[in-house]
Amino acid sequence: MGSLGMPEILLILVIALIVFGPRKLPELGKSLGQSLAQFRRASEDFKRQWEDEVDLERRRIPPPPATAVEPLKTSELEEHAPAVDAAAQSPTTVHRDASVATETKRDWV
């Protein structure tokens, strides 16, 4: 369903004027406005209460203990670095295994 345009709103107002009369229509508008304001207050109160509960729950759960980590010096980094083979660094190194190729061929057949 689309939004209401000006002709639809005028038709609704005319029908409301005919059904309720010119004396009751302002009272109905006033009570509708009060109801909407009360609904807004209630929803804001609910939202505020929800946020308060979430804050209380966050305070109740203790954060994990922080551990002090001392950064390594450059000389210590070199000592702890793993030895890397030049062949292992090459991304184009391909190992061909005849048994794997044969097994793969059988899986496809």
Side-chain angles (χ1 to χ4, degrees), residues 2-18:
S3 62
L4 294 177
M6 191 55 127
E8 290 88 4
I9 293 175
L10 286 175
L11 179 66
I12 291 171
L13 289 176
V14 168
I15 292 173
L17 184 63
I18 292 171

Side-chain angles (χ1 to χ4, degrees), residues 10-73:
L10 286 175
L11 179 66
I12 291 171
L13 289 176
V14 168
I15 292 173
L17 184 63
I18 292 171
V19 171
F20 297 110
R23 294 185 187 186
K24 284 280 191 183
L25 204 54
E27 293 174 18
L28 289 173
K30 182 180 176 182
S31 65
L32 180 64
Q34 288 174 346
S35 300
L36 286 175
Q38 185 178 7
F39 177 75
R40 269 194 208 126
R41 278 190 299 250
S43 65
E44 288 174 4
D45 184 42
F46 176 75
K47 181 181 174 184
R48 196 174 311 115
Q49 185 178 3
W50 180 269
E51 290 171 353
D52 291 343
E53 290 293 326
V54 169
D55 287 341
L56 284 174
E57 193 64 31
R58 284 184 184 157
R59 290 182 195 147
R60 196 175 308 165
I61 300 173
T67 57
V69 177
E70 191 174 310
L72 294 175
K73 297 177 185 172

